[in-house]
Amino acid sequence: MRNYESRKRILVTGGAGFLGSHLIDRLLALGHEVVCADNLFTGSKRNIEHLHAHPRFEFMRHDVTFPLYLEVDEIYNLACPASPIHYQHDPVQTTKTSVHGAINMLGLAKRLRCRIFQASTSEVYGDPSVHPQTESYWGNVNPIGVRSCYDEGKRCAETLFFDYHRQHGLDIKVARIFNTYGPRMHPNDGRVVSNFIVQALKGEPITIYGEGRQTRSFCYVDDLIEGFLRLMDTEAGFPGPVNLGNPGEFTIRQLAEQVIELTGSASKLEFRPLPSDDPLQRQPDIALARDKLGWSPAVPLADGLKQTIAYFDALLADGKR
């Protein structure tokens, strides 16, 4: 391993994305060197433009479906479009990003004998028949639906990670991420928080699919990144998977009403048919994260929404100039 001193050189794939850019900020603040690899399909240079002059930051335009050769001490594999609009745009490429990307990053970690983190997802649980979802639940996933490119791609990536762990003794960490929101979300990614905020700030109708009774659990990005770091620092014999998300459960309608209140918008609710395979319930059981990581979310939904609304307000204002 390279690790010459306490400062590490860390690769973050998907580092120009929403989560990746926040992770890089934290890693740099901790004194590490960071290599950001991103093909900018859904990531944005805007998310990392404040880092270009940083002496310990390096950007590399790279698609993880192709091998990558460099020397690092740790790898965070976050590369993959994560919103339905983006991952359904080119579903074959989405599956390739999850599967070929995992193979290439695992191959790099195997050569370097370094620790590797996989950003998996609560979507591996599909439309769950168990509520809330624990890590032992195997899921209820449609393997041929419109969301399968993402759901099954991430499930296959987990399979690869654990097979590399068992077959090659690779030091892996797998996190299952539940709904996360915050500044630097893509304004047109189709996710419920960004959709509602942008629509409210523009005074447009708030689009709710179904009757808005489906539930989600919303974790602020700073809380999630803290979970990443704590999981990465656990002992080698603990690969996960670990649920990372906020167990506070809200209906989609409750979220919409709170966004309207916080923005002071005059937007009205507009109801549309529920999309195919959209889960009706999604709530993490985070007992394992509390026990092994000493982690639980600290930011209340209202506080996180205020920060996110301020970000989108500035973004929309900037776009008008």
Side-chain angles (χ1 to χ4, degrees), residues 6-65:
S6 59
R7 175 188 291 179
K8 296 176 183 176
R9 188 167 190 242
I10 300 173
L11 169 65
V12 179
T13 70
F18 164 46
L19 297 182
S21 62
H22 283 280
L23 173 61
I24 288 172
D25 283 345
R26 285 292 305 277
L27 293 173
L28 290 171
L30 290 170
H32 301 301
E33 299 174 27
V34 178
V35 179
C36 167
D38 202 303
N39 66 356
L40 300 179
F41 173 60
T42 57
S44 171
K45 286 186 176 180
R46 180 190 182 101
N47 291 338
I48 54 173
E49 64 185 359
H50 62 291
L51 299 175
H52 286 313
H54 198 292
R56 289 182 276 108
F57 174 77
E58 177 183 351
F59 173 72
M60 177 183 300
R61 188 159 186 165
H62 181 80
D63 188 323
V64 294
T65 62

Side-chain angles (χ1 to χ4, degrees), residues 241-320:
V242 178
N243 288 339
L244 293 178
N246 195 320
E249 190 177 16
F250 297 85
T251 67
I252 296 301
R253 182 164 186 151
Q254 286 175 322
L255 175 68
E257 290 169 347
Q258 190 158 6
V259 167
I260 289 172
E261 180 184 349
L262 292 172
T263 56
S265 175
S267 295
K268 304 298 182 184
L269 303 183
E270 182 178 281
F271 297 89
R272 295 184 183 178
L274 197 65
S276 176
D277 297 330
D278 191 48
L280 296 179
Q281 288 183 306
R282 185 58 57 73
Q283 181 190 23
D285 182 314
I286 62 167
L288 183 61
R290 284 194 177 107
D291 179 51
K292 293 295 294 186
L293 313 182
W295 176 89
S296 61
V299 180
L301 180 62
D303 292 350
L305 285 176
K306 289 174 185 176
Q307 297 295 321
T308 311
I309 289 166
Y311 169 78
F312 279 113
D313 197 21
L315 190 69
L316 292 174
D318 192 44
K320 292 177 182 175

Side-chain angles (χ1 to χ4, degrees), residues 80-103:
C80 189
S83 73
I85 285 178
H86 292 146
Y87 66 63
Q88 291 173 21
H89 172 73
D90 188 346
V92 172
Q93 184 63 26
T94 295
T95 304
K96 285 182 175 179
T97 300
S98 285
V99 178
H100 292 183
I103 290 169

